[in-house]
Amino acid sequence: MQYSDANDHEAYLRKYIQQLERRVRELEAERSELRRELRRYRIEVDKLLSPPLIEAVVLSVLPDGRVVVKSSTGPNLVVNVSSNVDVSKLVPGAYVALNQRGSTIVEVLPEREDPYVKAMEVVDRPKVTFDDIGGLEEQKRELYEAIILPLKKPELFRELGIEPPKGVLLYGPPGCGKTLLAKAVASMTNATFIRVVASEFVHKYVGEGARIVREVFKLARRKAPSIIFIDEIDAIAAKRIDLGTSGEREIQRTLMQLLAELDGFDPLGDVKVIAATNRIDILDPALLRPGRFDRLIYVPPPDEKGRLEIFRIHTRRMKLGEDVDLAYLAKITEGATGADIRAIVMEAGYNALRAGRRVVMMEDFLAAVEKVMKKRRRPYATMPEYLDEAPTRATTSSEAAVMHI
């Protein structure tokens, strides 16, 4: 290529050198990116090829520097400690990671909450109060005095020099409002509410149920003031008998851990326990003694006044016909539980829906009572005569508001 003069040739060379320098920079950047990608893949391959670590809990530290741990695989082990581990963090109860080959402690794991236990904490509180529970005035008062009052006004008990009850056991027939009372307590306090069904304590592996019980009470103490509600406690608290089966022995170990947590060496403090069962006759006597469940509250089927209140609660959003007499319905449903009355009200609404009406009439309720209560004894069964009568009643303000709507 011919150039007109030396200046043009020099300009061409300068431009060509700039292009080469730019290309070198691009290649260096590409090389750096490839090196980073190669390093990332090497790290990933090392992770895939590295052996898994075993989780363990520190039990004690021996004078010679070795540590006694309880391995997640089962046995207790006496292990050595890696030189890069901070020995000051090796305290009883700390979680550590063990090398799979030599079972040496290679890492101290951060303290954490068991996700299984954490899920038992109630985040969205139920919108139920004592006003939504018909009858059971004595039971509400005892629950308020035993659970709510000590959490809201502990100074009253300190001034009197008495200790509030540690736990309350609700017992009675199914469907009478035991769980509903616990829901009301949860919504009426600012305490942490932990709900657990007793069968959730039963696990396959030995010692796992007792560990879950410890974790539940540990969470409750950490988040105190708190309330633990154990539903269907008879699943783990039946009378201890010598059956000889491994499953029965594991349930008994879980029960003994629960007994120790309720009245053991560590005080409960601002942790209250509510339990519910409909089989108090099979519970272990050790669970029922004072110092564990100080209050045994019987939740009976509602009487006539209580049934009337329950009918009013469940029908307050319904459009009722002028012939609906809730007092008469409460009278003819003797023996019905709160769950039965709720089912009657719901069935009456379906009867009105099938008839194409937007208002629930007395005949809908009577048919619902006949369907739900047909296997129960009703001494006031005068339905045929009642259908010919024109019932009169004093309409309450709440019922009038519903009718107006």
Side-chain angles (χ1 to χ4, degrees):
M1 185 176 181
Q2 300 295 327
Y3 296 95
S4 57
D5 53 23
N7 291 335
D8 292 341
H9 181 65
E10 184 180 352
Y12 171 77
L13 291 177
R14 190 180 297 111
K15 184 177 180 181
Y16 182 69
I17 291 172
Q18 291 175 352
Q19 291 177 351
L20 291 177
E21 290 176 346
R22 184 167 57 251
R23 179 58 179 165
V24 168
R25 287 194 296 270
E26 291 174 355
L27 291 174
E28 287 180 347
E30 185 177 353
R31 185 182 65 172
S32 300
E33 180 63 27
L34 290 174
R35 283 182 172 177
R36 283 195 296 268
E37 189 173 352
L38 178 61
R39 189 162 48 249
R40 185 168 62 251
Y41 283 126
R42 282 178 176 172
I43 294 173
E44 193 67 24
V45 170
D46 290 340
K47 289 180 181 178
L48 294 174
L49 296 179
S50 61
L53 301 178
I54 300 174
E55 183 188 52
V57 180
V58 175
L59 298 181
S60 63
V61 180
L62 300 178
D64 60 0
R66 293 181 300 170
V67 179
V68 180
V69 299
K70 180 175 180 57
S71 169
S72 59
T73 58
N76 292 352
L77 303 173
V78 179
V79 299
N80 293 311
V81 183
S82 176
S83 58
N84 59 353
V85 173
D86 187 358
V87 183
S88 63
K89 294 182 179 179
L90 296 176
V91 295
Y95 287 93
V96 295
L98 307 180
N99 181 278
Q100 193 175 36
R101 175 172 296 182
S103 295
T104 301
I105 296 178
V106 296
E107 184 182 354
V108 179
L109 301 177
E111 186 176 353
R112 71 191 190 284
E113 295 176 352
D114 190 318
Y116 183 77
V117 175
K118 180 64 178 175
M120 297 176 182
E121 182 181 348
V122 177
V123 179
D124 298 327
R125 295 178 180 272
K127 295 177 173 53
V128 179
T129 64
F130 284 160
D131 295 334
D132 300 316
I133 304 174
L136 304 179
E137 299 302 327
E138 182 67 18
Q139 288 75 13
K140 295 176 191 175
R141 181 186 64 78
E142 290 195 42
L143 261 181
Y144 181 83
E145 293 174 350
I147 302 297
I148 300 177
L149 190 60
L151 294 177
K152 287 188 173 181
K153 298 182 179 180
E155 66 277 1
L156 296 179
F157 294 86
R158 288 196 296 267
E159 185 176 349
L160 289 174
I162 60 175
E163 291 186 5
K166 296 178 182 178
V168 170
L169 177 65
L170 305 174
Y171 69 98
C176 292
K178 298 184 291 296
T179 304
L180 198 61
L181 285 169
K183 287 182 179 180
V185 172
S187 66
M188 294 173 66
T189 62
N190 294 324
T192 302
F193 195 81
I194 302 171
R195 180 187 182 276
V196 55
V197 180
S199 59
E200 294 178 329
F201 289 140
V202 182
H203 283 261
K204 177 180 178 181
Y205 299 103
V206 175
E208 189 68 11
R211 185 189 68 81
I212 295 295
V213 172
R214 287 194 301 271
E215 290 291 336
V216 167
F217 279 85
K218 182 179 178 182
L219 174 65
R221 287 188 177 94
R222 186 163 57 251
K223 296 204 168 186
S226 57
I227 299 171
I228 301 173
F229 175 54
I230 307 175
D231 204 1
E232 307 295 346
I233 194 173
D234 50 278
I236 62 167
K239 294 176 182 177
R240 286 170 281 183
I241 55 178
D242 187 14
L243 289 182
T245 63
S246 60
E248 184 65 27
R249 288 195 297 269
E250 175 61 18
I251 291 176
Q252 290 181 6
R253 279 190 288 266
T254 304
L255 171 60
M256 286 184 281
Q257 183 64 44
L258 177 62
L259 296 176
E261 293 291 344
L262 288 173
D263 190 23
F265 187 78
D266 297 328
L268 285 178
D270 287 337
V271 177
K272 304 300 177 185
V273 182
I274 304 175
T277 181
N278 49 37
R279 291 299 308 274
I280 193 174
D281 56 305
I282 68 172
L283 294 186
D284 194 283
L287 193 70
L288 302 178
R289 74 161 176 82
R292 287 179 175 137
F293 287 110
D294 298 296
R295 291 283 183 91
L296 306 180
I297 301 178
Y298 176 57
V299 184
D303 56 11
E304 184 176 335
K305 179 181 176 182
R307 292 195 298 274
L308 176 58
E309 291 181 14
I310 296 173
F311 268 114
R312 286 174 176 167
I313 289 171
H314 288 303
T315 59
R316 59 190 173 190
R317 294 188 182 90
M318 296 180 70
K319 292 184 178 180
L320 302 178
E322 294 183 357
D323 63 335
V324 175
D325 188 353
L326 297 180
Y328 182 81
L329 291 174
K331 189 176 183 181
I332 66 174
T333 52
E334 183 178 3
T337 64
D340 292 330
I341 294 175
R342 184 177 182 274
I344 289 171
V345 173
M346 186 180 300
E347 186 64 29
Y350 274 105
N351 291 338
L353 193 64
R354 294 187 194 102
R357 283 185 270 100
R358 299 296 182 92
V359 177
V360 183
M361 309 298 291
M362 188 64 180
E363 61 185 273
D364 301 323
F365 280 101
L366 296 177
V369 170
E370 182 66 23
K371 181 175 181 180
V372 175
M373 302 287 294
K374 60 182 179 181
K375 294 184 179 180
R376 294 180 180 268
R377 187 177 68 86
R378 292 182 287 107
Y380 304 102
T382 56
M383 291 185 186
E385 298 177 5
Y386 185 83
L387 290 174
D388 298 331
E389 298 176 0
T392 58
R393 66 188 178 101
T395 305
T396 63
S397 59
S398 61
E399 293 169 348
V402 172
M403 291 170 60
H404 177 71
I405 294 174

